[in-house]
Amino acid sequence: MSLDIQNLHVKLGKKEIIHDLSLSMNTNQFVGIIGANGSGKSTLLKTIYKSLTPAKGRIYFDGLDILHTPAKKVSQKLGVVGQFNELSFDFTVFQMVLLGRTPHKKLLESDTKEDFAIVEQALAKMGLTSFKNESFLSLSGGEKQRVILARVLAKQPEFMILDEPTNHLDIRYQLEMMESVKKLGIGVLVALHDLQLAANYCDYLYAMKDGAIVAFGTPENLFTQDLIEDLYGIKCSIYKNPMTDKIAFHYYL
Amino acid sequence: MFSSKKWIQKSYYQIALTFFLVIFFVFSIVFSLGSGQAEISLIDVFQILLYKFSGGVLGNIADIEQAVVNIIWFVRTPRVLMSIFVGLGLATSGAIMQAVVQNPLADPYILGISSGASLGATFAIMIGFGSASIFSQLNLSLSAFIGALLATFCVLFLSNIGGRMTSTKLVLSGTIINSIFSSFSSLIIYLADDAEGIKSVTFWSMGSLASASWSKLPLLIVVTLVISVFFASQFRILNTMLLGDEAAVTLGISLGKYRRIYMIIASLLTGLIVANSGMIGFVGLIIPHIVRGIYGSDHKKLVPMCGFIGAFF
């Protein structure tokens, strides 16, 4: 399976956020997008999952023309974990995850035993079974994020998009979040701020700056001091951590 | 199906509560029919209802005074029925409005419906058809209804300016329209210089079921029921609506279209109710919250139960 984006232009108001972006990626792997705040990462992801409509361009997922397919059909295939988890009304965790079944349902169809089983599985996978009847709003940030991930799992997507999923999470939850996503074994496209996480978990990386892709490659090939200075405007030394044998970063101004 | 014991207990509790509510509901209907300025015994009430509904086949009203029969049948029964359906409609559209604007403070009047209806009513009372004939009664309702619709469309128009309709824009434009329309009402009242008219405007805006009659009921009942059933069937979309635009898109539902449809339908319902009974506050705001407290936010239960509990009031 693959995700192909051709000559994408996205405008927010009058400002062009993404300018003539094209990429073609294999969606059976863990792909990361890095870049500074305002570089267009979220905008790109939002356009892919149809929350924003681009001015020009085409997006194909597995041959499916996403921009001209109803949201319901797209959402059966794409799972999204975004940054929008605030609610004014409360749901229980179970109901919240059950909402993940929505795209597979007709308007008047009621939830079947199968749906409940899928939800139970998703909860178990995220270690949330004991939280099932808690209210969503009473949970901590990390737990909320896991509920959202469980909701995406309940959808049984073929491909997952995550927009800075580790925001507001402490170190343990950051690692747990990445581990559980990695373990799912489906393709993932994730926007990340933490370069260390990106280097550790991603198979392939795209670097964005000013609405365009400036570099791509495997973490080993992509990360250079010049690139990081170009993206974030900081100095950085990149070295192999002698303890873990993985890429490590040391930043300074 | 549900392995957790807590869940099972909770749903037993809900069933028991629902059962209790049904009994209480029936009892409160009979009680409110019997009590009032003229106390009428429950047995008589029962006999009269039985007689009237079965077309004279059942029940025995021979030894009950004709005046009592009239009070029950022509005054109190319509009022009770009206209050049931007004409550049902207000609570339902309150729940819908709260979902549509994603704001727990929303009520059926949020889109300026109340001030629109007031303006319509003020207009009707002050300018022209202020007399007490039946014709003017109808006109009062009609112009209140038109005012409500006018306000709703103004709000829709305002919130569509500058691209996508968001819930913030909806609330803001509702507030704006509200103040504009109520200042127009004030202007009319100020210029009118008509003490009797001012009194009736005030009376109207307090809300009352006193004007209930059999002739008004069928329209109200049919519309309220049809709209409530419609909303109860939309529980999936309403649920995702609570999550906000972004999350709803990722669940395959783009809200813009549904928001507009729901709002127009809920406004129709509210407009009709306001036209019939004036402004009755708090039911539309509070009932959905009470029901959420008991049954949770799932609209599958929320909408029917809102309607039901709303019907109490």
Side-chain angles (χ1 to χ4, degrees):
Chain A
M1 281 190 289
S2 66
L3 179 70
D4 293 292
I5 299 175
Q6 295 163 5
N7 307 97
L8 193 69
H9 293 256
V10 184
K11 281 181 183 167
L12 284 183
K14 290 206 171 95
K15 204 175 162 214
E16 189 158 64
I17 307 290
I18 289 179
H19 181 73
D20 201 15
L21 184 147
S22 300
L23 70 81
S24 177
M25 58 177 260
N26 175 354
T27 53
N28 296 321
Q29 49 183 355
F30 203 110
V31 180
I33 302 180
I34 57 167
N37 287 333
S39 61
K41 302 187 298 291
S42 291
T43 308
L44 174 63
L45 294 184
K46 279 181 186 169
T47 314
I48 297 174
Y49 63 75
K50 280 178 89 78
S51 178
L52 292 175
T53 314
K56 253 195 280 180
R58 287 173 182 286
I59 302 174
Y60 293 98
F61 171 70
D62 198 16
L64 183 77
D65 183 352
I66 286 188
L67 300 177
H68 298 100
T69 308
K72 188 165 179 164
K73 205 151 179 208
V74 172
S75 99
Q76 288 173 3
K77 293 176 181 278
L78 293 187
V80 180
V81 176
Q83 302 175 332
F84 37 84
N85 300 329
E86 287 316 310
L87 281 184
S88 335
F89 296 94
D90 211 354
F91 280 104
T92 67
V93 169
F94 190 87
Q95 286 170 334
M96 198 72 183
V97 177
L98 188 60
L99 280 175
R101 298 300 298 159
T102 307
H104 295 284
K105 292 282 154 187
K106 292 198 198 82
L107 201 54
L108 286 174
E109 209 178 336
S110 50
D111 304 300
T112 60
K113 278 186 182 178
E114 203 187 335
D115 294 317
F116 290 124
I118 291 169
V119 170
E120 293 283 355
Q121 265 172 27
L123 286 169
K125 236 178 191 171
M126 286 291 106
L128 287 166
T129 310
S130 57
F131 288 96
K132 189 158 76 169
N133 297 312
E134 303 281 320
S135 96
F136 179 74
L137 291 181
S138 71
L139 301 181
S140 74
E143 288 157 355
K144 277 185 192 163
Q145 197 70 318
R146 270 152 63 203
V147 173
I148 303 292
L149 193 58
R151 189 173 79 198
V152 173
L153 289 186
K155 215 155 91 168
Q156 301 180 317
E158 296 170 14
F159 182 58
M160 218 160 32
I161 294 174
L162 300 102
D163 195 354
E164 288 165 28
T166 56
N167 264 9
H168 315 299
L169 299 189
D170 68 25
I171 305 165
R172 182 190 165 81
Y173 282 130
Q174 289 190 13
L175 291 178
E176 277 190 1
M177 180 86 192
M178 297 304 280
E179 283 292 336
S180 31
V181 172
K182 185 109 187 170
K183 265 192 284 184
L184 298 177
I186 60 172
V188 173
L189 180 61
V190 55
L192 283 172
H193 273 307
D194 189 324
L195 299 184
Q196 191 68 61
L197 286 178
N200 290 354
Y201 287 97
C202 294
D203 302 317
Y204 204 81
L205 283 168
Y206 289 93
M208 281 188 79
K209 190 189 175 188
D210 299 332
I213 287 174
V214 291
F216 48 86
T218 58
E220 291 78 23
N221 298 328
L222 179 87
F223 284 120
T224 62
Q225 297 182 2
D226 289 343
L227 178 73
I228 286 168
E229 188 169 355
D230 185 34
L231 291 180
Y232 298 100
I234 51 162
K235 301 259 189 316
C236 165
S237 47
I238 300 171
Y239 57 98
K240 211 155 220 176
N241 188 322
M243 311 287 280
T244 60
D245 215 26
K246 284 182 176 155
I247 305 175
F249 302 88
H250 174 69
Y251 314 111
Y252 52 97
L253 282 174
Chain B
M1 190 152 60
F2 300 105
S3 53
S4 157
K5 211 170 177 189
K6 199 173 157 199
W7 175 271
I8 292 170
Q9 277 170 353
K10 202 173 173 198
S11 56
Y12 273 140
Y13 159 72
Q14 288 179 354
I15 292 168
L17 189 69
T18 312
F19 188 68
F20 171 73
L21 285 176
V22 172
I23 293 172
F24 189 66
F25 183 56
V26 174
F27 177 74
S28 71
I29 290 176
V30 177
F31 180 73
S32 57
L33 282 173
S35 62
Q37 275 177 340
E39 288 294 336
I40 298 165
S41 77
L42 292 184
I43 298 165
D44 286 357
V45 171
F46 187 68
Q47 290 282 8
I48 293 165
L49 287 184
L50 206 60
Y51 179 80
K52 288 289 184 181
F53 278 117
S54 63
V57 180
L58 293 167
N60 177 17
I61 56 167
D63 48 356
I64 302 169
E65 277 178 65
Q66 189 58 35
V68 172
V69 175
N70 283 345
I71 289 175
I72 293 290
W73 189 246
F74 290 108
V75 181
R76 288 189 189 161
T77 313
R79 280 188 201 178
V80 168
L81 281 178
M82 178 117 137
S83 69
I84 291 171
F85 285 95
V86 164
L88 194 153
L90 281 179
T92 308
S93 66
I96 303 303
M97 285 299 180
Q98 287 173 3
V100 166
V101 302
Q102 288 159 45
N103 189 328
L105 292 177
D107 68 2
Y109 306 129
I110 188 117
L111 300 178
I113 293 171
S114 58
S115 51
S118 299
L119 182 60
T122 314
F123 198 78
I125 292 169
M126 291 300 189
I127 302 171
F129 358 90
S131 62
S133 68
I134 292 174
F135 180 68
S136 78
Q137 260 295 326
L138 272 180
N139 258 324
L140 178 61
S141 302
L142 188 66
S143 53
F145 185 63
I146 292 173
L149 283 193
L150 189 68
T152 308
F153 282 111
C154 286
V155 170
L156 280 175
F157 174 74
L158 258 188
S159 55
N160 267 322
I161 292 175
R164 235 161 28 141
M165 181 164 71
T166 62
S167 51
T168 319
K169 273 196 211 163
L170 270 178
V171 176
L172 286 178
S173 30
T175 316
I176 294 170
I177 295 295
N178 230 328
S179 9
I180 293 178
F181 274 56
S182 54
S183 50
F184 270 124
S185 304
S186 307
L187 183 71
I188 293 180
I189 292 174
Y190 177 70
L191 291 178
D193 195 26
D194 170 0
E196 198 50 43
I198 292 171
K199 222 169 135 187
S200 48
V201 169
T202 315
F203 180 71
W204 184 86
S205 64
M206 284 191 303
S208 164
L209 299 165
S211 68
S213 65
W214 282 110
S215 60
K216 284 182 176 179
L217 276 171
L219 180 67
L220 180 70
I221 293 179
V222 169
V223 173
T224 312
L225 280 183
V226 167
I227 292 180
S228 302
V229 169
F230 167 76
F231 279 132
S233 71
Q234 303 287 310
F235 64 93
R236 273 184 202 285
I237 294 169
L238 287 167
N239 275 343
T240 53
M241 222 168 229
L242 291 188
L243 302 178
D245 283 285
E246 283 266 342
V249 169
T250 71
L251 292 173
I253 291 165
S254 40
L255 292 184
K257 187 178 73 184
Y258 290 110
R259 192 173 273 152
R260 208 161 310 169
I261 296 172
Y262 289 175
M263 219 163 48
I264 291 173
I265 295 177
S267 308
L268 276 176
L269 180 58
T270 317
L272 185 73
I273 289 170
V274 170
N276 271 299
S277 65
M279 312 261 300
I280 293 177
F282 93 88
V283 172
L285 175 65
I286 290 300
I287 300 298
H289 286 287
I290 296 176
V291 177
R292 248 183 228 115
I294 303 171
Y295 296 95
S297 294
D298 189 346
H299 279 90
K300 201 174 171 181
K301 288 182 194 153
L302 183 64
V303 175
M305 286 316 293
C306 270
F308 181 58
I309 294 186
F312 274 121
F313 283 78

